[in-house]
Amino acid sequence: MTMTDTTEPAPPGNAAPGPDPRVLAMARAFDRTRRKVDGLEKQVHRLAEDVTRLAGVLSAGRPGPAGGAAGDAAGEEDGEGGPPPVRSWLLAADPDQAVTDLADLIEWLDRVYLRYPGTELAACWLWHPHVIEELWWLRRAHADAYHPQAGSWLRVGDWHDRQRPAVVRRVRDAIGKCDLSLHAPGKPNGRPPQVAPLAAHAAQIATAWATSSTRPEPTPAQMDEAAAYLQALHRSLR
């Protein structure tokens, strides 16, 4: 029994065998992979350069006054490099900060708000804390809209079309017919500000709502207190 010869016949003419096709395919695949890696490496370098430039802009080029008003103390960022804090005039507790905020607001009123027609302020505007609050948030919204980095024309348009006209209307409705003489003692605006009525019963209401989502029925004493409050309110509005 003869064994089958499995050896491959030598190429004719004793020619050297050609390169293995599998090796050629692997070489081509490796070359393609190397070119892709080189391209990705270039992109990574470009991204690193962009990030470095952006960090430089955010640190060295940090914006100063927002909104274009000189001496904009309220537009400066806080000591930790973040955005300016949101402050309410009605909740002001630091006298020095309140003086700074009001001085900033007055400068902005002269340079921006009062440049628009129909924005005249009554002489007693400083005696109306809610009016200061309206003007203060409008001033900060103006600074945000024109912020060198965070601002946008869409926000600018919203300030012009919606925010400013609404504040002008509310301020005019609130003090358009008021005068400083009306803030004298005994005059309508010379009385102390109103306080929340029946506040002594807040704990009872809160407990009932938190435990059963219900409101307790008013007692006769509470009804009498409410009636006395309404009478006092009507007298103060005469």
Side-chain angles (χ1 to χ4, degrees), residues 58-79:
L58 293 178
S59 59
R62 194 174 298 281
D72 183 5
E76 296 175 358
E77 297 176 347
D78 63 19

PDB file of all heavy atoms in Angstrom, residues 58-79:
ATOM      1  N   LEU A  58     -11.203  81.945  29.446  1.00  0.00           N
ATOM      2  CA  LEU A  58     -12.046  81.965  30.636  1.00  0.00           C
ATOM      3  C   LEU A  58     -11.325  82.488  31.861  1.00  0.00           C
ATOM      4  O   LEU A  58     -11.935  83.063  32.750  1.00  0.00           O
ATOM      5  CB  LEU A  58     -12.576  80.555  30.928  1.00  0.00           C
ATOM      6  CG  LEU A  58     -13.549  79.990  29.901  1.00  0.00           C
ATOM      7  CD1 LEU A  58     -13.958  78.577  30.279  1.00  0.00           C
ATOM      8  CD2 LEU A  58     -14.792  80.875  29.806  1.00  0.00           C
ATOM      9  N   SER A  59     -10.013  82.293  31.911  1.00  0.00           N
ATOM     10  CA  SER A  59      -9.269  82.743  33.089  1.00  0.00           C
ATOM     11  C   SER A  59      -8.689  84.141  32.903  1.00  0.00           C
ATOM     12  O   SER A  59      -9.006  85.068  33.652  1.00  0.00           O
ATOM     13  CB  SER A  59      -8.136  81.739  33.408  1.00  0.00           C
ATOM     14  OG  SER A  59      -7.249  81.634  32.296  1.00  0.00           O
ATOM     15  N   ALA A  60      -7.876  84.312  31.863  1.00  0.00           N
ATOM     16  CA  ALA A  60      -7.241  85.624  31.653  1.00  0.00           C
ATOM     17  C   ALA A  60      -8.217  86.641  31.097  1.00  0.00           C
ATOM     18  O   ALA A  60      -8.134  87.819  31.411  1.00  0.00           O
ATOM     19  CB  ALA A  60      -6.051  85.472  30.713  1.00  0.00           C
ATOM     20  N   GLY A  61      -9.167  86.205  30.292  1.00  0.00           N
ATOM     21  CA  GLY A  61     -10.098  87.138  29.668  1.00  0.00           C
ATOM     22  C   GLY A  61     -11.438  87.175  30.341  1.00  0.00           C
ATOM     23  O   GLY A  61     -12.453  87.372  29.691  1.00  0.00           O
ATOM     24  N   ARG A  62     -11.505  86.938  31.634  1.00  0.00           N
ATOM     25  CA  ARG A  62     -12.763  86.941  32.350  1.00  0.00           C
ATOM     26  C   ARG A  62     -13.428  88.311  32.232  1.00  0.00           C
ATOM     27  O   ARG A  62     -12.779  89.325  32.429  1.00  0.00           O
ATOM     28  CB  ARG A  62     -12.519  86.596  33.816  1.00  0.00           C
ATOM     29  CG  ARG A  62     -13.797  86.240  34.545  1.00  0.00           C
ATOM     30  CD  ARG A  62     -13.455  85.757  35.940  1.00  0.00           C
ATOM     31  NE  ARG A  62     -12.634  84.561  35.879  1.00  0.00           N
ATOM     32  CZ  ARG A  62     -13.096  83.354  35.648  1.00  0.00           C
ATOM     33  NH1 ARG A  62     -14.370  83.178  35.416  1.00  0.00           N
ATOM     34  NH2 ARG A  62     -12.287  82.317  35.630  1.00  0.00           N
ATOM     35  N   PRO A  63     -14.741  88.352  31.910  1.00  0.00           N
ATOM     36  CA  PRO A  63     -15.384  89.640  31.661  1.00  0.00           C
ATOM     37  C   PRO A  63     -15.435  90.499  32.902  1.00  0.00           C
ATOM     38  O   PRO A  63     -15.529  90.011  34.022  1.00  0.00           O
ATOM     39  CB  PRO A  63     -16.802  89.239  31.217  1.00  0.00           C
ATOM     40  CG  PRO A  63     -17.008  87.897  31.830  1.00  0.00           C
ATOM     41  CD  PRO A  63     -15.665  87.225  31.830  1.00  0.00           C
ATOM     42  N   GLY A  64     -15.386  91.773  32.677  1.00  0.00           N
ATOM     43  CA  GLY A  64     -15.519  92.732  33.764  1.00  0.00           C
ATOM     44  C   GLY A  64     -16.954  93.141  33.900  1.00  0.00           C
ATOM     45  O   GLY A  64     -17.837  92.309  34.033  1.00  0.00           O
ATOM     46  N   PRO A  65     -17.251  94.448  33.803  1.00  0.00           N
ATOM     47  CA  PRO A  65     -18.634  94.900  33.966  1.00  0.00           C
ATOM     48  C   PRO A  65     -19.539  94.309  32.914  1.00  0.00           C
ATOM     49  O   PRO A  65     -19.220  94.313  31.738  1.00  0.00           O
ATOM     50  CB  PRO A  65     -18.521  96.431  33.829  1.00  0.00           C
ATOM     51  CG  PRO A  65     -17.097  96.740  34.145  1.00  0.00           C
ATOM     52  CD  PRO A  65     -16.307  95.559  33.673  1.00  0.00           C
ATOM     53  N   ALA A  66     -20.640  93.770  33.334  1.00  0.00           N
ATOM     54  CA  ALA A  66     -21.618  93.216  32.413  1.00  0.00           C
ATOM     55  C   ALA A  66     -22.684  94.255  32.150  1.00  0.00           C
ATOM     56  O   ALA A  66     -23.189  94.883  33.051  1.00  0.00           O
ATOM     57  CB  ALA A  66     -22.256  91.949  33.012  1.00  0.00           C
ATOM     58  N   GLY A  67     -23.021  94.403  30.885  1.00  0.00           N
ATOM     59  CA  GLY A  67     -24.078  95.340  30.537  1.00  0.00           C
ATOM     60  C   GLY A  67     -23.558  96.684  30.097  1.00  0.00           C
ATOM     61  O   GLY A  67     -24.298  97.549  29.691  1.00  0.00           O
ATOM     62  N   GLY A  68     -22.242  96.905  30.188  1.00  0.00           N
ATOM     63  CA  GLY A  68     -21.667  98.106  29.622  1.00  0.00           C
ATOM     64  C   GLY A  68     -21.634  99.289  30.538  1.00  0.00           C
ATOM     65  O   GLY A  68     -21.175 100.347  30.146  1.00  0.00           O
ATOM     66  N   ALA A  69     -22.113  99.197  31.772  1.00  0.00           N
ATOM     67  CA  ALA A  69     -22.111 100.343  32.670  1.00  0.00           C
ATOM     68  C   ALA A  69     -20.803 100.415  33.417  1.00  0.00           C
ATOM     69  O   ALA A  69     -20.300  99.418  33.907  1.00  0.00           O
ATOM     70  CB  ALA A  69     -23.273 100.234  33.661  1.00  0.00           C
ATOM     71  N   ALA A  70     -20.208 101.601  33.497  1.00  0.00           N
ATOM     72  CA  ALA A  70     -18.956 101.762  34.210  1.00  0.00           C
ATOM     73  C   ALA A  70     -19.182 101.576  35.688  1.00  0.00           C
ATOM     74  O   ALA A  70     -20.220 101.922  36.233  1.00  0.00           O
ATOM     75  CB  ALA A  70     -18.393 103.167  33.942  1.00  0.00           C
ATOM     76  N   GLY A  71     -18.163 101.005  36.369  1.00  0.00           N
ATOM     77  CA  GLY A  71     -18.269 100.805  37.805  1.00  0.00           C
ATOM     78  C   GLY A  71     -19.366  99.845  38.178  1.00  0.00           C
ATOM     79  O   GLY A  71     -20.023 100.019  39.199  1.00  0.00           O
ATOM     80  N   ASP A  72     -19.579  98.809  37.369  1.00  0.00           N
ATOM     81  CA  ASP A  72     -20.658  97.861  37.610  1.00  0.00           C
ATOM     82  C   ASP A  72     -20.229  96.879  38.686  1.00  0.00           C
ATOM     83  O   ASP A  72     -19.814  95.773  38.399  1.00  0.00           O
ATOM     84  CB  ASP A  72     -20.990  97.135  36.300  1.00  0.00           C
ATOM     85  CG  ASP A  72     -22.145  96.185  36.455  1.00  0.00           C
ATOM     86  OD1 ASP A  72     -22.740  96.157  37.543  1.00  0.00           O
ATOM     87  OD2 ASP A  72     -22.440  95.480  35.493  1.00  0.00           O
ATOM     88  N   ALA A  73     -20.347  97.290  39.937  1.00  0.00           N
ATOM     89  CA  ALA A  73     -19.920  96.411  41.018  1.00  0.00           C
ATOM     90  C   ALA A  73     -20.768  95.157  41.073  1.00  0.00           C
ATOM     91  O   ALA A  73     -20.279  94.082  41.383  1.00  0.00           O
ATOM     92  CB  ALA A  73     -19.997  97.151  42.359  1.00  0.00           C
ATOM     93  N   ALA A  74     -22.055  95.278  40.763  1.00  0.00           N
ATOM     94  CA  ALA A  74     -22.925  94.113  40.832  1.00  0.00           C
ATOM     95  C   ALA A  74     -22.667  93.163  39.683  1.00  0.00           C
ATOM     96  O   ALA A  74     -23.037  92.002  39.747  1.00  0.00           O
ATOM     97  CB  ALA A  74     -24.398  94.540  40.818  1.00  0.00           C
ATOM     98  N   GLY A  75     -22.035  93.613  38.595  1.00  0.00           N
ATOM     99  CA  GLY A  75     -21.766  92.749  37.460  1.00  0.00           C
ATOM    100  C   GLY A  75     -20.489  91.968  37.610  1.00  0.00           C
ATOM    101  O   GLY A  75     -20.210  91.077  36.821  1.00  0.00           O
ATOM    102  N   GLU A  76     -19.661  92.293  38.602  1.00  0.00           N
ATOM    103  CA  GLU A  76     -18.426  91.564  38.780  1.00  0.00           C
ATOM    104  C   GLU A  76     -18.727  90.181  39.313  1.00  0.00           C
ATOM    105  O   GLU A  76     -19.697  89.952  40.017  1.00  0.00           O
ATOM    106  CB  GLU A  76     -17.514  92.319  39.759  1.00  0.00           C
ATOM    107  CG  GLU A  76     -17.082  93.684  39.236  1.00  0.00           C
ATOM    108  CD  GLU A  76     -16.284  94.451  40.276  1.00  0.00           C
ATOM    109  OE1 GLU A  76     -16.128  93.919  41.385  1.00  0.00           O
ATOM    110  OE2 GLU A  76     -15.843  95.568  39.975  1.00  0.00           O
ATOM    111  N   GLU A  77     -17.827  89.239  39.012  1.00  0.00           N
ATOM    112  CA  GLU A  77     -18.009  87.896  39.500  1.00  0.00           C
ATOM    113  C   GLU A  77     -17.505  87.797  40.916  1.00  0.00           C
ATOM    114  O   GLU A  77     -16.730  88.610  41.381  1.00  0.00           O
ATOM    115  CB  GLU A  77     -17.295  86.909  38.578  1.00  0.00           C
ATOM    116  CG  GLU A  77     -17.897  86.937  37.173  1.00  0.00           C
ATOM    117  CD  GLU A  77     -17.147  86.051  36.225  1.00  0.00           C
ATOM    118  OE1 GLU A  77     -16.040  85.629  36.581  1.00  0.00           O
ATOM    119  OE2 GLU A  77     -17.663  85.781  35.138  1.00  0.00           O
ATOM    120  N   ASP A  78     -17.971  86.771  41.625  1.00  0.00           N
ATOM    121  CA  ASP A  78     -17.600  86.663  43.019  1.00  0.00           C
ATOM    122  C   ASP A  78     -16.150  86.245  43.163  1.00  0.00           C
ATOM    123  O   ASP A  78     -15.461  85.950  42.200  1.00  0.00           O
ATOM    124  CB  ASP A  78     -18.528  85.688  43.747  1.00  0.00           C
ATOM    125  CG  ASP A  78     -18.427  84.273  43.204  1.00  0.00           C
ATOM    126  OD1 ASP A  78     -17.415  83.963  42.544  1.00  0.00           O
ATOM    127  OD2 ASP A  78     -19.344  83.474  43.447  1.00  0.00           O
ATOM    128  N   GLY A  79     -15.679  86.204  44.407  1.00  0.00           N
ATOM    129  CA  GLY A  79     -14.267  85.951  44.648  1.00  0.00           C
ATOM    130  C   GLY A  79     -13.810  84.583  44.210  1.00  0.00           C
ATOM    131  O   GLY A  79     -12.626  84.347  44.025  1.00  0.00           O
TER     132      GLY A  79
END
